[in-house]
Amino acid sequence: QAHGMSLDNFLDTVLKNDGTFWADNILISAAARTFNVDLVIVHNDGKKPSVSRRSNPEGLLYLAHEVEQHYQALEEDPTLAPQEVLDAYRIGAAIDELERQGERGLRR
């Protein structure tokens, strides 16, 4: 739960009647931070995956991004070799800058 709202409640507020969920990169990043999950976004334009890594995540979310089109959730499959590649990107990524700024603010 984050800020008095569970992830399920959040999804209920943003899901459309047909079960789709439309969001931009700002909302996706904010939701990942709010619900304390690592986020890995695989792009279809050949760029390296984008990673938002938390210091102590409660979960992991993989998304595919068709640039200028939409995002799609991906299921984790540890039997696939690409999974190891994505995990290497995630583990090698720096901790989310906003989280680090918050930690510095708490230490002051």
Side-chain angles (χ1 to χ4, degrees), residues 84-99:
E84 294 172 6
V85 173
L86 292 177
D87 281 344
Y89 277 110
R90 182 177 59 87
I91 293 165
I95 298 299
D96 183 282
E97 181 62 27
L98 288 179
E99 180 177 346

Side-chain angles (χ1 to χ4, degrees), residues 20-71:
T20 60
F21 168 57
W22 292 91
D24 61 10
N25 63 324
I26 295 170
L27 182 58
I28 290 169
S29 295
R33 287 181 180 124
T34 300
F35 294 103
N36 194 32
V37 296
D38 281 352
L39 174 64
V40 178
I41 301 175
V42 180
H43 308 279
N44 72 336
D45 61 0
K47 289 183 182 176
K48 291 181 180 179
S50 301
V51 178
S52 176
R53 186 169 158 239
R54 312 301 294 164
S55 60
N56 193 15
E58 295 179 23
L60 173 59
L61 178 61
Y62 289 104
L63 295 178
H65 180 219
E66 287 189 49
V67 178
E68 301 299 326
Q69 296 294 317
H70 72 271
Y71 291 88

Side-chain angles (χ1 to χ4, degrees), residues 68-83:
E68 301 299 326
Q69 296 294 317
H70 72 271
Y71 291 88
Q72 180 173 325
L74 299 174
E75 291 187 27
E76 187 175 357
D77 186 347
T79 65
L80 298 176
Q83 181 73 39

